[in-house]
Amino acid sequence: MSESGSMDRRGFLHAGVAATAAGLAAGVVRAQDAAGDAKPGEGKPVLPRRMLGKTGVEVTLLNQGTVGEPAALDRLLRFAYREGVRYFDTAESYRNAETVFKAWFEAQPEVRKTIFLATKHHVNRPEEMLDKVDKRLERLGTDYIDLLFFHGLSTNQKDWPKSKEMKDAIEAIKKTGKVKFVGFSTHDPSIAEQLQNAAKGGFIDVIMLRFSPWLEKDSALNKALDACHKANIGLVSMKQIAGQALKITQARVPSLQEKNLTPAQGLLHAIWTDERFSASCVTMRNQDQTRENADAARRFEPLKLSELNELRDALLAAGPTMCPNCDGRCAVAAGTKAKLGDLARFYTYHEDHGIRSHARECYLELAAEERDWLGADLAAAREACHNKLDFAKILPEVDRLLG
Ligand code: SF4
């Protein structure tokens, strides 16, 4: 199936499954290996872990995100810890989330060494990042960062991951001894090129990206993921497909019902079935979500292709609103400069992820022409999209809620 053409649902093929499902359990370090690590807080055993690319560090499959700084974040972080999460993610732009970590480390200094902590900062030139390190350390209340991301590489930064400038910047950052690993996060339509460049450059440790477990096998992004995996770059999924999709009932997917997995748990199992990914970052906003997702990690077994297909069909039938990312073919098909995928993503943040202020901030950061979808052929956009997002329904709501 060509990447540029519209496609039938049946054309989707999960890339990693056929080759790897049988051997995947071996890639996961089971919880009991680290059961003694549950203190402080006398929590549950550490969740199953996977090696994060070339870092040599095993991280928990589940990563507590902090985008939008959920209410009572201090309690949520501690609860995630007690549920066995040891990988935490934040960013300079997530309001005061970094300082919540600082308060946690002040109250329980012993926690810091037992977690893998990632943060992010957006810069306009690679060499600017070095100057941001001390500020991040101060805000986080730590003397080292496990993983520092260049936050949200854009299209005009797509060559950075193979550039001398970024390589030099990363070397200088690591030389300080204050940052162990460096990578980038991305939402950009040039994502496949960015990933291929990272595989060529050889100096990126980890990439965090939106991901759908139902990528076309021959798509540019799927090939780029293969290249990164081969180059031993750690891959972390984020902003998992959501929206209406997660409102499907368990009964709609018999294989989930048999395993007593909720749709959200099934989705995490679908992502973890792809052995290229080490972890999923999820901003769990209440204790029920954390409990549910931690339970999914504890009970993870790779899904069979038939189970993946059943889940995919149910999700698509439910009408997802979250753009799982690709090359932006929806906008091309619609003949618009509006960022249709981003608009749908911000709608999902607002309506389903409960991060309304963050959704509005993201929306306002777009240029006027990137928000202006009027005149776009929305039927063509829907047809072109992997996930058949219903733009004709979603975009008027974007204007009403975020405009
Ligand atoms: S909305 Fe669909 S077509 Fe558009 S960028 Fe996202 S996944 Fe791709």
Side-chain angles (χ1 to χ4, degrees), residues 82-380:
R82 289 201 300 277
E83 282 290 318
V85 176
R86 292 293 183 275
Y87 182 3
F88 292 82
D89 179 275
T90 189
E92 176 268 340
S93 57
Y94 297 170
R95 298 166 181 244
N96 294 311
E98 286 183 325
T99 58
V100 179
F101 282 93
K102 182 175 188 168
W104 188 20
F105 300 150
E106 282 170 359
Q108 292 182 284
E110 65 276 25
V111 164
R112 175 64 191 97
K113 285 197 197 77
T114 64
I115 68 168
F116 187 82
L117 180 60
T119 192
K120 320 181 197 73
H121 200 114
H122 178 80
V123 292
N124 294 317
R125 289 180 301 133
E127 55 271 33
E128 290 173 8
M129 191 60 107
L130 181 60
D131 290 339
K132 310 297 181 194
V133 172
D134 285 342
K135 184 69 183 166
R136 303 272 61 72
L137 292 174
E138 185 197 325
R139 293 264 294 174
L140 287 162
T142 180
D143 55 5
Y144 71 98
I145 294 165
D146 293 289
L147 175 58
L148 178 64
F149 286 114
F150 285 74
H151 198 171
L153 282 202
S154 62
T155 302
N156 61 17
Q157 297 169 338
K158 69 184 178 191
D159 290 333
W160 284 14
K162 64 173 181 182
S163 70
K164 182 173 181 327
E165 290 75 15
M166 193 174 198
K167 184 170 190 275
D168 290 349
I170 289 176
E171 277 175 12
I173 290 166
K174 287 186 175 177
K175 208 178 270 181
T176 64
K178 299 170 182 174
V179 176
K180 293 188 176 174
F181 309 108
V182 183
F184 66 87
S185 65
T186 177
H187 287 294
D188 196 74
S190 69
I191 182 169
E193 288 170 84
Q194 293 175 346
L195 266 63
Q196 287 287 5
N197 287 338
K200 280 185 204 132
F203 52 83
I204 294 293
D205 296 314
V206 181
I207 301 172
M208 187 147 105
L209 66 148
R210 268 182 295 155
F211 172 66
S212 159
W214 299 283
L215 274 181
E216 300 157 72
K217 186 172 184 297
D218 295 329
S219 69
L221 179 54
N222 197 45
K223 288 178 181 168
L225 288 169
D226 278 341
C228 286
H229 186 58
K230 197 168 166 207
N232 211 10
I233 294 172
L235 295 170
V236 178
S237 76
M238 63 170 169
K239 314 277 170 68
Q240 283 69 214
I241 178 177
Q244 292 303 109
L246 289 187
K247 292 175 185 159
I248 61 173
T249 61
Q250 194 186 42
R252 179 69 186 74
V253 193
S255 59
L256 292 185
Q257 204 164 20
E258 276 165 34
K259 294 181 173 181
N260 195 23
L261 292 171
T262 65
Q265 290 178 318
L267 180 58
L268 287 172
H269 281 206
I271 292 167
W272 297 331
T273 295
D274 190 328
E275 69 173 354
R276 297 173 298 185
F277 282 82
S278 301
S280 297
C281 179
V282 187
T283 299
M284 295 167 283
R285 312 194 73 76
N286 55 56
Q287 295 189 358
D288 285 345
Q289 285 179 5
T290 307
R291 214 177 274 115
E292 181 179 349
N293 291 346
D295 176 60
R298 266 182 229 107
R299 293 198 288 134
F300 169 64
E301 295 291 344
L303 297 188
K304 296 185 192 119
L305 188 55
S306 59
E307 294 171 329
L308 280 164
N309 289 343
E310 191 177 78
L311 179 59
R312 174 205 61 202
D313 289 349
L315 292 173
L316 288 182
T321 61
M322 181 74 174
C323 161
N325 205 6
C326 72
D327 50 10
R329 67 187 67 179
C330 48
V332 175
T336 179
K337 290 190 174 156
K339 293 198 162 181
L340 303 187
D342 283 345
L343 293 171
R345 177 162 59 95
F346 304 155
Y347 169 79
T348 310
Y349 288 174
H350 191 277
E351 291 299 279
D352 295 293
H353 293 181
I355 42 178
R356 297 188 164 190
S357 309
H358 184 68
R360 284 200 197 92
E361 284 161 16
C362 292
Y363 177 82
L364 292 173
E365 277 171 17
L366 293 182
E369 68 175 7
E370 292 171 339
R371 293 183 222 146
D372 181 10
W373 54 270
L374 289 178
D377 183 343
L378 300 185

